[in-house]
Short mmCIF file of all heavy atoms in Angstrom, two decimals:
data_model
loop_
_atom_site.label_atom_id
_atom_site.label_comp_id
_atom_site.label_asym_id
_atom_site.label_seq_id
_atom_site.Cartn_x
_atom_site.Cartn_y
_atom_site.Cartn_z
N GLU A 197 -4.59 -22.20 -8.97
CA GLU A 197 -3.83 -23.40 -8.49
C GLU A 197 -2.50 -23.48 -9.10
O GLU A 197 -1.45 -23.85 -8.53
CB GLU A 197 -4.71 -24.64 -8.79
CG GLU A 197 -5.87 -24.74 -7.87
CD GLU A 197 -6.72 -26.11 -8.14
OE1 GLU A 197 -6.22 -26.86 -9.01
OE2 GLU A 197 -7.70 -26.24 -7.48
N ARG A 198 -2.49 -23.17 -10.36
CA ARG A 198 -1.19 -23.18 -11.15
C ARG A 198 -0.21 -22.17 -10.52
O ARG A 198 1.01 -22.46 -10.36
CB ARG A 198 -1.35 -22.82 -12.64
CG ARG A 198 -1.87 -23.93 -13.44
CD ARG A 198 -1.99 -23.55 -14.84
NE ARG A 198 -2.89 -24.41 -15.60
CZ ARG A 198 -3.71 -24.09 -16.52
NH1 ARG A 198 -3.74 -22.71 -16.94
NH2 ARG A 198 -4.46 -24.96 -17.19
N LEU A 199 -0.61 -21.00 -10.23
CA LEU A 199 0.08 -19.99 -9.58
C LEU A 199 0.75 -20.43 -8.24
O LEU A 199 1.93 -20.33 -8.03
CB LEU A 199 -0.61 -18.71 -9.38
CG LEU A 199 0.02 -17.44 -8.87
CD1 LEU A 199 0.94 -16.94 -9.86
CD2 LEU A 199 -0.97 -16.37 -8.55
N ILE A 200 -0.17 -21.02 -7.43
CA ILE A 200 0.37 -21.58 -6.21
C ILE A 200 1.33 -22.67 -6.31
O ILE A 200 2.43 -22.64 -5.65
CB ILE A 200 -0.85 -22.11 -5.31
CG1 ILE A 200 -1.80 -20.88 -4.95
CG2 ILE A 200 -0.49 -22.77 -4.12
CD1 ILE A 200 -3.15 -21.29 -4.48
N ARG A 201 1.06 -23.56 -7.28
CA ARG A 201 1.99 -24.73 -7.45
C ARG A 201 3.25 -24.37 -7.99
O ARG A 201 4.27 -25.06 -7.69
CB ARG A 201 1.31 -25.78 -8.29
CG ARG A 201 0.21 -26.58 -7.70
CD ARG A 201 -0.27 -27.74 -8.54
NE ARG A 201 -1.24 -28.41 -7.82
CZ ARG A 201 -2.57 -28.44 -8.07
NH1 ARG A 201 -2.89 -27.82 -9.17
NH2 ARG A 201 -3.51 -29.08 -7.37
N ARG A 202 3.45 -23.37 -8.67
CA ARG A 202 4.68 -22.85 -9.23
C ARG A 202 5.65 -22.52 -8.02
O ARG A 202 6.87 -22.73 -8.16
CB ARG A 202 4.58 -21.57 -10.17
CG ARG A 202 4.46 -21.95 -11.53
CD ARG A 202 4.58 -20.85 -12.52
NE ARG A 202 3.23 -20.74 -13.22
CZ ARG A 202 2.53 -19.66 -13.33
NH1 ARG A 202 2.95 -18.42 -12.87
NH2 ARG A 202 1.41 -19.68 -14.00
N ARG A 203 5.20 -21.83 -7.09
CA ARG A 203 6.00 -21.50 -5.92
C ARG A 203 5.95 -22.30 -4.72
O ARG A 203 6.81 -22.29 -3.77
CB ARG A 203 5.69 -19.97 -5.52
CG ARG A 203 6.15 -19.05 -6.67
CD ARG A 203 6.21 -17.61 -5.97
NE ARG A 203 6.39 -16.63 -7.06
CZ ARG A 203 5.93 -15.43 -6.86
NH1 ARG A 203 5.42 -14.99 -5.74
NH2 ARG A 203 6.16 -14.57 -7.81
N ASN A 204 4.75 -23.01 -4.60
CA ASN A 204 4.50 -23.75 -3.39
C ASN A 204 3.84 -25.11 -3.79
O ASN A 204 2.61 -25.36 -3.57
CB ASN A 204 3.63 -22.98 -2.52
CG ASN A 204 3.42 -23.61 -1.10
OD1 ASN A 204 3.88 -24.63 -0.82
ND2 ASN A 204 2.62 -22.96 -0.22
N PRO A 205 4.60 -25.94 -4.41
CA PRO A 205 4.03 -27.16 -5.00
C PRO A 205 3.30 -28.20 -4.09
O PRO A 205 2.39 -28.80 -4.43
CB PRO A 205 5.28 -27.91 -5.65
CG PRO A 205 6.48 -27.28 -5.19
CD PRO A 205 6.08 -25.92 -4.58
N ASN A 206 3.68 -28.14 -2.82
CA ASN A 206 3.01 -28.98 -1.90
C ASN A 206 1.97 -28.27 -1.07
O ASN A 206 1.43 -28.80 -0.02
CB ASN A 206 4.07 -29.57 -0.95
CG ASN A 206 5.00 -30.52 -1.65
OD1 ASN A 206 4.61 -31.25 -2.53
ND2 ASN A 206 6.25 -30.40 -1.21
N TRP A 207 1.64 -27.04 -1.45
CA TRP A 207 0.62 -26.19 -0.79
C TRP A 207 0.83 -26.09 0.71
O TRP A 207 0.02 -26.27 1.57
CB TRP A 207 -0.74 -26.78 -0.92
CG TRP A 207 -1.28 -26.57 -2.41
CD1 TRP A 207 -0.69 -27.20 -3.44
CD2 TRP A 207 -2.39 -25.96 -2.84
NE1 TRP A 207 -1.42 -26.88 -4.60
CE2 TRP A 207 -2.44 -26.08 -4.27
CE3 TRP A 207 -3.37 -25.25 -2.25
CZ2 TRP A 207 -3.47 -25.55 -5.01
CZ3 TRP A 207 -4.43 -24.69 -3.02
CH2 TRP A 207 -4.48 -24.84 -4.41
N LEU A 208 2.12 -25.94 1.07
CA LEU A 208 2.48 -25.80 2.56
C LEU A 208 1.93 -24.47 3.03
O LEU A 208 1.94 -23.48 2.41
CB LEU A 208 3.98 -25.95 2.71
CG LEU A 208 4.63 -27.24 2.24
CD1 LEU A 208 6.17 -27.08 2.27
CD2 LEU A 208 4.18 -28.33 3.01
N ALA A 209 1.54 -24.51 4.31
CA ALA A 209 1.24 -23.19 5.04
C ALA A 209 2.45 -22.48 5.16
O ALA A 209 3.48 -22.93 5.75
CB ALA A 209 0.52 -23.57 6.33
N LEU A 210 2.50 -21.17 4.68
CA LEU A 210 3.66 -20.44 4.67
C LEU A 210 3.74 -19.55 5.91
O LEU A 210 2.77 -19.02 6.30
CB LEU A 210 3.65 -19.53 3.41
CG LEU A 210 3.57 -20.24 2.11
CD1 LEU A 210 3.41 -19.19 0.97
CD2 LEU A 210 4.79 -21.08 1.90
N GLY A 211 4.89 -19.48 6.45
CA GLY A 211 5.12 -18.54 7.51
C GLY A 211 5.58 -17.21 6.97
O GLY A 211 6.00 -17.11 5.72
N ILE A 212 5.48 -16.22 7.75
CA ILE A 212 5.87 -14.87 7.31
C ILE A 212 7.44 -14.65 7.59
O ILE A 212 7.66 -14.61 8.81
CB ILE A 212 5.05 -13.69 7.94
CG1 ILE A 212 3.60 -13.99 7.96
CG2 ILE A 212 5.31 -12.37 7.28
CD1 ILE A 212 2.86 -14.48 6.82
N PRO A 213 8.26 -14.54 6.71
CA PRO A 213 9.61 -14.55 6.95
C PRO A 213 10.02 -13.13 7.63
O PRO A 213 9.44 -12.05 7.31
CB PRO A 213 10.36 -14.66 5.69
CG PRO A 213 9.32 -14.25 4.63
CD PRO A 213 7.94 -14.60 5.22
N ALA A 214 10.92 -13.19 8.57
CA ALA A 214 11.31 -11.81 9.35
C ALA A 214 12.06 -11.04 8.39
O ALA A 214 12.04 -9.85 8.45
CB ALA A 214 12.00 -12.20 10.57
N ALA A 215 12.99 -11.69 7.49
CA ALA A 215 13.82 -10.80 6.65
C ALA A 215 13.59 -11.28 5.22
O ALA A 215 13.36 -12.38 5.07
CB ALA A 215 15.22 -11.16 7.04
N MET A 216 13.67 -10.27 4.33
CA MET A 216 13.49 -10.55 2.90
C MET A 216 14.81 -10.70 2.22
O MET A 216 14.87 -10.78 0.95
CB MET A 216 12.61 -9.47 2.37
CG MET A 216 11.25 -9.24 3.00
SD MET A 216 10.15 -10.48 2.63
CE MET A 216 9.48 -9.79 1.18
N ALA A 217 16.01 -10.68 2.88
CA ALA A 217 17.31 -10.61 2.30
C ALA A 217 17.52 -11.85 1.54
O ALA A 217 18.36 -11.78 0.72
CB ALA A 217 18.29 -10.35 3.32
N SER A 218 17.00 -12.91 1.77
CA SER A 218 17.38 -14.20 1.20
C SER A 218 16.63 -14.43 -0.11
O SER A 218 16.88 -15.57 -0.83
CB SER A 218 17.03 -15.35 2.06
OG SER A 218 15.71 -15.46 2.29
N ILE A 219 16.02 -13.41 -0.73
CA ILE A 219 15.29 -13.65 -1.99
C ILE A 219 16.22 -13.58 -3.16
O ILE A 219 17.13 -12.70 -3.19
CB ILE A 219 14.27 -12.54 -2.10
CG1 ILE A 219 13.12 -12.77 -1.03
CG2 ILE A 219 13.55 -12.55 -3.47
CD1 ILE A 219 12.16 -11.55 -0.92
N ASN A 220 16.03 -14.53 -4.06
CA ASN A 220 16.85 -14.53 -5.27
C ASN A 220 16.48 -13.52 -6.23
O ASN A 220 15.30 -13.63 -6.70
CB ASN A 220 16.75 -15.98 -5.80
CG ASN A 220 17.53 -16.19 -7.00
OD1 ASN A 220 18.24 -15.24 -7.52
ND2 ASN A 220 17.54 -17.42 -7.55
N PRO A 221 17.23 -12.55 -6.55
CA PRO A 221 16.88 -11.51 -7.41
C PRO A 221 16.45 -11.92 -8.88
O PRO A 221 15.71 -11.40 -9.53
CB PRO A 221 18.11 -10.51 -7.60
CG PRO A 221 18.97 -10.98 -6.45
CD PRO A 221 18.69 -12.37 -6.04
N SER A 222 16.88 -13.15 -9.36
CA SER A 222 16.52 -13.69 -10.57
C SER A 222 15.08 -14.11 -10.67
O SER A 222 14.54 -14.34 -11.70
CB SER A 222 17.49 -14.82 -11.02
OG SER A 222 17.36 -15.84 -10.12
N SER A 223 14.54 -14.31 -9.47
CA SER A 223 13.10 -14.76 -9.40
C SER A 223 12.06 -13.56 -9.50
O SER A 223 10.96 -13.78 -9.59
CB SER A 223 12.87 -15.54 -8.18
OG SER A 223 12.89 -14.69 -7.02
N LEU A 224 12.56 -12.35 -9.55
CA LEU A 224 11.63 -11.18 -9.72
C LEU A 224 11.11 -11.11 -11.03
O LEU A 224 11.83 -11.34 -12.08
CB LEU A 224 12.34 -9.95 -9.41
CG LEU A 224 13.11 -9.86 -7.94
CD1 LEU A 224 13.83 -8.64 -7.72
CD2 LEU A 224 12.13 -10.12 -6.89
#
Side-chain angles (χ1 to χ4, degrees):
E197 286 181 7
R198 283 186 199 139
L199 184 67
I200 294 165
R201 284 191 180 111
R202 266 189 243 135
R203 292 200 190 153
N204 188 0
N206 296 322
W207 291 60
L208 301 173
L210 303 173
I212 315 313
M216 305 284 274
S218 64
I219 295 171
N220 181 357
S222 65
S223 66
L224 304 179

